[in-house]
Every structure is written in structure tokens, then in C-alpha cells.
């Protein structure tokens, strides 16, 4: 039974570019949440997807967008990258909208130069 | 404002010693509190989860306590091992009626265990 998987593991981009990160939830989970974790900080909630809709959103600009597919996998898109977007991006999956324990993937480390 | 504060920010202990990490929160309405362990460069892994009615939960050498009245939690690690070196994150869940839970993360306590 595969846990949460994310791809790619590492990514280097330059300012102004666009990036897409991918997440496959744990088998049987239907909810995906995305977090940004800067070095030495706790994860910051970006948004959560359930039933293919964005259900909740943290304090992130519209440059951050996402999508959930019918198979519950999800993508995080970031446009017009800034240096400050460099971080570990974590995906977490859970059941029924996030009230249950969230299981985290290994993360994608994004470096913006 | 919903917040989760952890202390200390970092901690160094010798192998075999015990330690206690603290978490204070102002999240409302409270649903549950989780402690996660995060190794460097990895995703967090759940250690314990406690609801309003639970005041203690153990997972091996990890014991979490919760005082819902004072909105405080602690994570006690006994007989520390080198592999306990990690960041420990307190996460509080708030419910919005019957819909989705929103998680609030602390910044974590960075624990280093020395031989």
C-alpha cells in the first residue's frame, strides 16, 4: 500500500518561471492539502482539495493554484516565481475533508534562483 | 487569531535523557491536537493525536498530554535516542461546523540528541 508520493523530489527554477508539483494521496484517501515550509519554519497551509474543488485556502496569493483529479491526485501550480517561493512543498492526504489524521509525502524541494 | 506556539525553539540533550516539549494554542473551535516528528528534508510523521476528552496519549517512548482548559500540550520523550533528533511539530485542528478541518502548525522544536 503506497503512502503519499510527490514529484519531483527537487526542482530548480528561475524568477518569473512557472512550476507544477504533483501529489498522489495514500490509497483510499480523498482529500489533499498543500503546505509550504520555509527553512526552519513550520508548514504553512496553502489550500485543500476535496471532491475536486478547492475547499479552504490559506494566506497565499493567486499565483498559487491547484487542481484535484478524479483519481484524487493533485497538482500545485505556482506562477511568476519569486525568490521567496523557495521552500519545501508538502502534500498531505486524509479522509473526508481533512478532519482525520493527515499523512504527509516526502515533499518537493523548490529552489528559485 | 488562531495560533500555535511551541517552546523551546531548539533543545540539545544527551542520549538516554528525558525531555519535554511545550505547545500552547489559541485555536478555536478546537477539534484535536497532533504531534508530528519531522526528520530533516522529510515529510512530518504523526506521533499522537488527542481529542478534547483525552488528556494523555502514549506512543512508545513518546507521551503527549493535553489540558484543554489552559490550551496547553506537552510531548515527553523518555530515554532519548540519537534517532530522536528531529523537529517536533504541534498541530491543532479546528472544525468549521460539520465541514472541513483546518490545521494550524507550530514552528516546531528542533531536538538534537548527542551521544
Amino acid at each position: 500500500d503506497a503512502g503519499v508520493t510527490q514529484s519531483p523530489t527537487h526542482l530548480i527554477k528561475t524568477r518569473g518561471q512557472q512550476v507544477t508539483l504533483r501529489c498522489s494521496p495514500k490509497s483510499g484517501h480523498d482529500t489533499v492539502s498543500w503546505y509550504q515550509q520555509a527553512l526552519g519554519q513550520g508548514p504553512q497551509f496553502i489550500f485543500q482539495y476535496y471532491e475536486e474543488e478547492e475547499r479552504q485556502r490559506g494566506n497565499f496569493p493567486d499565483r498559487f493554484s491547484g487542481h484535484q483529479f478524479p483519481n484524487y491526485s493533485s497538482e500545485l501550480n505556482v506562477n511568476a516565481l519569486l525568490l521567496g517561493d523557495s521552500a519545501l512543498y508538502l502534500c498531505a492526504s486524509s479522509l473526508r475533508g481533512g478532519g482525520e489524521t493527515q499523512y504527509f509525502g516526502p515533499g518537493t524541494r523548490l529552489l528559485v534562483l | 487569531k488562531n495560533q500555535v506556539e511551541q517552546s523551546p525553539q531548539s533543545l540539545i540533550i544527551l542520549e538516554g535523557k528525558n525531555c519535554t516539549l511545550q505547545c500552547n494554542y489559541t485555536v478555536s473551535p478546537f477539534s484535536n491536537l497532533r504531534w508530528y516528528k519531522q526528520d530533516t528534508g522529510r515529510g512530518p510523521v504523526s506521533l499522537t493525536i488527542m481529542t478534547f476528552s483525552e488528556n494523555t496519549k502514549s506512543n512508545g517512548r513518546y507521551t503527549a498530554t493535553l489540558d484543554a482548559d489552559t490550551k496547553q500540550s506537552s510531548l515527553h520523550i523518555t530515554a532519548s535516542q540519537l534517532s530522536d533528533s528531529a523537529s517536533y511539530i504541534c498541530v491543532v485542528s479546528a472544525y468549521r461546523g460539520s465541514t472541513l478541518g483546518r490545521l494550524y502548525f507550530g514552528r516546531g522544536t528542533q531536538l538534537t540528541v548527542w551521544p
Side-chain angles (χ1 to χ4, degrees), chain B residues 34-50:
Chain B
R34 303 172 172 93
W35 283 93
Y36 280 88
K37 177 186 178 186
Q38 185 177 23
D39 293 313
T40 302
R42 308 288 296 275
V45 175
S46 179
L47 293 175
T48 63
I49 178 171
M50 288 180 292

Side-chain angles (χ1 to χ4, degrees), chain A residues 35 37 41-43 45 48 50 55-58 88 90 97 99-102 104-106 109, chain B residues 32 34 36 38 41-46 49 89 93 95-96 100-103 105-108:
Chain A
Y35 297 87
Q37 186 175 27
Q41 303 291 318
F45 175 72
Q48 183 180 78
Y50 174 62
R55 297 292 181 148
Q56 296 185 72
R57 189 179 184 92
L88 179 68
L90 295 166
E100 307 293 327
T101 297
Q102 295 193 2
F104 285 84
R109 185 160 294 283
Chain B
N32 57 59
R34 303 172 172 93
Y36 280 88
Q38 185 177 23
R42 308 288 296 275
V45 175
S46 179
I49 178 171
I89 305 175
S93 176
Y95 268 126
R96 296 179 182 178
L100 305 182
R102 165 76 189 269
L103 299 186
F105 287 73
R107 289 190 171 187

